[in-house]
Amino acid sequence: MTSSSAASAFSALAPYGWDDAWADAFAPYATEGLLPGRVIRVDRGQCDVVTAGGVLRADTAFVTPHDPMRVVCTGDWVAVEPGGNPRYVRAYLPRRTAFVRSTSSQRSEGQILAANVDHAVVAVSLALELDLGRIERFLALAWESGAQPVVVLTKADLVPDAVTRSHLVQDVETSAPGLPVVTVSARDGEGLEVVAAIVGGGTSVLLGQSGAGKSTLANALLGEDVMDVQATRDVDGKGRHTTTTRNLLALPGGGVLIDTPGLRGVGLWDAESGVGQVFSEIEELAERCRFHDCAHEAEPGCAVQAAVASGELPQRRLHSYRKLLRENQRIVAKTDARLRAEIRKDWKRKGAIGRAAMEAKRGPHWRS
């Protein structure tokens, strides 16, 4: 790639997030005559790649097709052939961040949903009863990805009562400590400027269940009806998936947005640090426990249980924290033999302690 073509590529790809660091990472592929581009859509083993010369269709089979963690995904920066039939993606550049969930398969593999994301926008509909546990799950995955999470409460016009809406926002803020929580109505424009300012720099991925209003929000940010929108049922707020693939779209005010299909399952994938960030207040309380390995159950001097008893920490938060940690431990254990052995050893140790305690309680003559 000549200096003039490199400058042209930089100018054309800058709206999609191209910068000096990406250019340096791509340099070895430039010497091979390959083109830089960003994947804006993947489907059926092929992808659409935006390049300096326009959008190209390319086959992804060349890049480890059988590993769901290493396949080409929306948001990747890739090296693509300048010609050929079919045309192939030859490699993707090292990812800065990656949004990963566990698959529904029995093999417990990770599935990458989007790459090189700066902001994870979790869309939650106010038309339905809030599922705070699901919000916490999304946020754990978002934190683990390396992106900065933000919660957007959509369909705010369906909750006209200011007091009711304030209580809902407060509940979400408790489940998302330290994070922006923005109420939005795409119908009347409320909150859109705030969200546009957040996603205006870098790459943002839009996450949430089907019917959360993601496509409507995406259209409002884009200023045009790019994404199909279908009505949801009045009874439960659900509808068919309007987005069936992950699409990367350049925003008119700067930044790019990846819209995703509604996610029914959001299983954790090695997200212990993400869980810790979602429940940062519990992690901070745990540092004041008498025992460093306190399970926050019945141990003396447990600062976490003391906070629950005083009302400082909601019992629901502690329950959700334990649930997500247990789930994450199971997922990791399935892929980490060493951890499996440690967990098994811990189970045996606790079992031995329990048996010893029971024998001591029964007394020395209970067997006779």
Side-chain angles (χ1 to χ4, degrees):
M1 183 180 294
T2 65
S3 58
S4 59
S5 59
S8 175
F10 200 105
S11 175
L13 295 177
Y16 291 90
W18 188 253
D19 57 28
D20 289 331
W22 288 122
D24 291 342
F26 185 79
Y29 301 105
T31 61
E32 300 176 23
L34 300 175
L35 300 177
R38 193 165 196 189
V39 177
I40 59 175
R41 176 188 172 98
V42 178
D43 63 277
R44 299 177 183 178
Q46 293 189 315
C47 64
D48 294 333
V49 183
V50 60
T51 68
V55 177
L56 306 177
R57 187 73 170 167
D59 197 300
T60 65
F62 214 84
V63 187
T64 321
H66 302 300
D67 184 345
M69 292 287 285
R70 297 178 62 190
V71 296
V72 171
C73 75
T74 304
D76 271 327
W77 285 100
V78 297
V80 64
E81 295 174 340
N85 188 19
R87 186 195 312 266
Y88 286 99
V89 170
R90 288 290 175 175
Y92 62 79
L93 302 185
R95 293 160 176 158
R96 294 178 182 174
T97 62
F99 191 92
V100 180
R101 67 169 176 177
S102 65
T103 65
S104 58
S105 71
Q106 295 301 312
R107 292 179 294 178
S108 299
E109 297 173 323
Q111 178 190 23
I112 183 165
L113 300 181
N116 303 312
V117 173
D118 301 296
H119 301 97
V121 180
V122 179
V124 180
S125 172
L126 287 176
L128 298 175
E129 182 178 354
L130 291 177
D131 186 342
L132 299 178
R134 179 171 285 269
I135 294 173
E136 289 161 348
R137 180 181 294 272
F138 270 112
L139 292 177
L141 291 172
W143 275 122
E144 192 67 34
S145 74
Q148 174 69 37
V150 57
V151 182
V152 173
L153 303 179
T154 65
K155 306 182 183 181
D157 53 285
L158 299 181
V159 188
D161 182 68
V163 175
T164 301
R165 189 190 299 186
S166 176
H167 286 313
L168 292 173
V169 172
Q170 187 175 14
D171 286 343
V172 175
E173 288 176 339
T174 300
S175 302
L179 293 179
V181 177
V182 185
T183 56
V184 166
S185 171
R187 178 176 297 177
D188 58 28
E190 177 189 349
L192 287 177
E193 289 186 2
V194 178
V195 178
I198 292 172
V199 302
T203 298
S204 301
V205 62
L206 193 53
L207 307 162
Q209 292 179 277
S210 181
K214 299 187 305 300
S215 295
T216 301
L217 177 58
N219 285 336
L221 293 171
L222 289 161
E224 56 182 318
D225 292 339
V226 175
M227 309 305 298
D228 291 333
V229 177
Q230 295 175 354
T232 56
R233 296 195 295 261
D234 292 333
V235 175
D236 55 13
K238 295 181 180 179
R240 290 179 296 169
H241 293 304
T242 55
T243 303
T244 56
T245 58
R246 286 171 280 279
N247 304 280
L248 185 147
L249 306 157
L251 296 171
V256 293
L257 182 69
I258 299 176
D259 191 18
T260 65
L263 299 176
R264 292 190 180 93
V266 280
L268 300 184
W269 177 257
D270 196 8
E272 182 177 355
S273 65
V275 172
Q277 286 177 284
V278 174
F279 299 92
S280 57
E281 81 277 33
I282 298 179
E283 302 259 305
E284 291 173 3
L285 286 167
E287 294 179 359
R288 303 205 298 266
C289 290
R290 180 181 301 177
F291 303 108
H292 75 277
D293 58 348
C294 183
H296 318 309
E297 293 176 351
E299 297 87 344
C302 176
V304 174
Q305 285 293 347
V308 172
S310 69
E312 177 187 353
L313 176 68
Q315 179 67 50
R316 189 207 65 79
R317 284 281 285 171
L318 179 57
H319 174 74
S320 183
Y321 174 67
R322 287 170 172 164
K323 179 181 178 181
L324 292 182
L325 280 183
R326 286 196 300 267
E327 176 185 327
N328 188 72
Q329 189 179 55
R330 287 196 299 270
I331 289 294
V332 174
K334 289 180 180 180
T335 57
D336 190 325
R338 180 179 178 183
L339 181 58
R340 284 199 300 271
E342 290 178 354
I343 292 173
R344 194 173 295 112
K345 182 178 179 181
D346 188 52
W347 285 344
K348 290 181 179 179
R349 180 182 64 81
K350 289 181 178 178
I353 293 174
R355 287 191 297 272
M358 183 61 68
E359 290 182 9
K361 183 177 181 179
R362 289 172 172 171
H365 306 296
W366 74 275
R367 292 180 184 274
S368 57

